[in-house]
Amino acid sequence: MTLKNPAGVNDLLPDAAHKQQLLVRAAFRVFGCYGYRYMETPMFEKTEVFTRGIGEATDVVGKEIYCVYPMNSIAGVSPDDRSALEGLALRPENTAGIARAVVQHNLVPPGAFQAKLWYAGSMFRHERQQKGRYREFRQIGAECIGATEPSADAEVILMLLHYFEALGIPRSHMTLKINSMGDEACRPAYRRAVQDYILARESEFCPECQRRATGNPLRAFDCKSEACQAALSAAPRITEYLCEECASQYAQVKQLLDSSGLAYEEDPRLVRGFDYYTRTVFEVQVDLGLGAQNAIGGGGRYDRLLQEYGAKPTPSLGFAVGLERIVMVLEALGTAAALPPAAQVFVAAVDEEARSQAFELAQKLREAGVSVELDHQARSLKSQFKVADKADVGFVVLLGPDERAKGSYTLRNMTDGTQQELTLDELLQLLTER
Ligand code: AMP
């Protein structure tokens, strides 16, 4: 029986991997313009890193976390008793891990300049698999740690849109949604108001939202059920509950976006799925390629998150974008990069004797920086040409008895079919210049 990948966990074959790699390279370029540095944190952490930061009552932590156990530690331990084992979990997102690492390594001690960090890698969530929603997916994210001013919010949002545009997603296909979620001063009253609102008309909501009403009522805004959305139509709006400081901060962010000429929509129902968000939150949605899962990136402020890991107050913010979804959008636009040929040159041996010479030449060319492929399957010359043609190489170098006799190399241009006889130096020069 052949083995297959688990549901929602996909192979990145060379074409898909190439497309994602280009997104990473673009991030190096664009984020570099804003002073960001690349870093990595482990793929799994103590579960507490996620429960403390993201919140026990969120879907991500409550339902979607994958726990990690060494095989020998679970032998004979019933699932109910596994909480006694060291709790490790695959990361469902990377902001919590970055915050943990920043605090652990004291990257932003009190009074230090803001740290700007970005990452790229796999995240894992036990979600119901559908188009654009997977159990392993890749994100690129950026975190601006230790910045209080609304200018940081505006800068992060501008960088996100700059990045999407640099990838070739036109503004006309994107909608930037923003909201303020308030802070610990004003959000509790809002949360209670939403809770009371749901409980007062409980029967209109799905069982999931009825459950959410007590644990995390704001999540109801994200419910996909039309009935729940209709029932929420007259729900209290966060904007009416913002305290003076949050309202002023939100107004300044909008003013900065206005003066940068960046169009946005205010969406008082935009509540992002993690508890750590405070004040500004944002999301970028697209109108093609994705269907229901139309968000390609989002983020917000998390002014209290680093305190969860023992730091002094360190207001911060960031965002994450989903690579699979961006690639789907670029494919829908018809602008996704094609996988380039694996090699520029194929070295073909006309007879058996030429094989070792072909092997040596290939190595010489590679060391000079030319990408070269050659046959390792004892194929005939005709078959080598077929392979070279299929591999879309620009040139074939032919080595056979004639070339041996003359000490020359025949170079065939595969685009126009012309051939020329060259010395080794001429060959090297011509191919390296290309
Ligand atoms: P989040 O970490 O939930 O704020 O999501 C940030 C971005 O990651 C989203 O806008 C999506 O582009 C992407 N994303 C989140 N969850 C998934 C998933 N299960 N599968 C694929 N992409 C995802």
Side-chain angles (χ1 to χ4, degrees), residues 305-361:
L305 178 62
L306 274 79
Q307 282 160 269
E308 293 291 338
Y309 304 117
K312 296 268 183 321
T314 315
S316 305
L317 75 162
F319 63 72
V321 303
L323 303 199
E324 285 79 3
R325 291 194 198 171
I326 295 174
V327 169
M328 287 162 82
V329 171
L330 295 177
E331 282 170 349
L333 282 165
T335 55
L339 185 66
Q344 303 159 283
V345 175
F346 194 97
V347 179
V350 175
D351 56 9
E352 269 315 299
E353 251 187 287
R355 286 192 183 272
S356 61
Q357 206 193 342
F359 185 84
E360 281 164 29
L361 177 67

Side-chain angles (χ1 to χ4, degrees), residues 5 29 42 48 104 130 159 162 197 267 279 287 367:
N5 52 323
R29 254 190 343 264
E48 206 186 336
Q104 181 180 336
Q130 61 188 101
M159 181 169 93
H162 179 172
Y197 178 91
D267 180 356
R279 297 190 168 175
D287 61 3
E367 284 168 9

Side-chain angles (χ1 to χ4, degrees), residues 182-259:
D183 63 6
E184 69 280 8
C186 54
R187 190 158 56 197
Y190 177 62
R191 209 169 162 276
R192 260 194 316 277
V194 174
Q195 180 168 47
D196 293 345
Y197 178 91
I198 298 175
L199 292 175
R201 42 185 76 61
E202 212 174 349
S203 60
E204 296 171 38
F205 286 88
C206 72
E208 181 73 39
C209 283
Q210 290 176 9
R211 256 195 311 279
R212 283 170 174 147
T214 43
N216 200 351
L218 301 188
R219 296 302 307 150
F221 287 114
D222 260 357
C223 183
K224 295 282 174 270
S225 145
E226 280 177 22
C228 293
Q229 288 310 317
L232 282 166
S233 59
R237 292 178 166 235
I238 179 76
T239 26
E240 295 148 18
Y241 285 78
L242 292 181
C243 61
E244 215 172 288
E245 277 170 30
C246 285
S248 148
Q249 202 260 0
Y250 187 42
Q252 289 178 69
V253 173
K254 286 188 285 180
Q255 199 187 352
L256 284 161
L257 295 179
D258 289 336
S259 57

Side-chain angles (χ1 to χ4, degrees), residues 8 60 64 92-95 119 123-128 130-140 164 272-274 276-277 282-284 290 293-299 319-326:
V60 166
E64 297 171 3
E93 56 83 84
N94 210 167
T95 300
Y119 59 83
M123 309 299 152
F124 306 86
R125 297 181 196 169
H126 188 256
E127 301 210 73
R128 205 163 48 79
Q130 61 188 101
K131 183 179 176 189
R133 173 167 286 180
Y134 310 108
R135 292 179 170 172
E136 180 187 16
F137 57 96
R138 282 97 188 150
Q139 285 187 334
I140 286 177
F164 286 142
R272 302 202 21 89
F274 310 137
Y276 54 61
Y277 283 122
F282 50 91
E283 191 161 280
V284 177
L290 290 180
Q293 305 304 321
N294 65 348
I296 50 173
F319 63 72
V321 303
L323 303 199
E324 285 79 3
R325 291 194 198 171
I326 295 174

Side-chain angles (χ1 to χ4, degrees), residues 39-154:
M39 71 170 279
E40 293 186 15
T41 63
M43 289 227 192
F44 60 91
E45 298 257 5
K46 292 192 173 140
T47 313
E48 206 186 336
V49 169
F50 307 118
T51 48
R52 268 209 230 172
I54 301 168
E56 304 257 11
T58 59
D59 285 356
V60 166
V61 167
K63 296 194 258 171
E64 297 171 3
I65 285 242
Y66 281 98
C67 294
V68 178
Y69 303 110
M71 194 69 110
N72 60 5
S73 78
I74 55 168
V77 181
S78 84
D80 292 343
D81 295 336
R82 283 182 195 164
S83 56
L85 301 169
E86 188 187 22
L88 297 174
L90 289 179
R91 61 186 182 192
E93 56 83 84
N94 210 167
T95 300
I98 297 269
R100 192 266 313 139
V102 166
V103 177
Q104 181 180 336
H105 303 288
N106 200 21
L107 296 187
V108 189
F113 195 60
Q114 68 233 2
K116 288 175 164 178
L117 307 163
W118 74 276
Y119 59 83
S122 283
M123 309 299 152
F124 306 86
R125 297 181 196 169
H126 188 256
E127 301 210 73
R128 205 163 48 79
Q129 192 213 345
Q130 61 188 101
K131 183 179 176 189
R133 173 167 286 180
Y134 310 108
R135 292 179 170 172
E136 180 187 16
F137 57 96
R138 282 97 188 150
Q139 285 187 334
I140 286 177
E143 315 291 353
C144 179
I145 313 283
T148 46
E149 293 301 297
S151 52
D153 305 44

Side-chain angles (χ1 to χ4, degrees), residues 386-398:
K386 261 197 202 152
V387 172
D389 208 32
K390 207 160 161 217
D392 213 14
V393 295
F395 296 93
V396 172
V397 181
L398 271 169

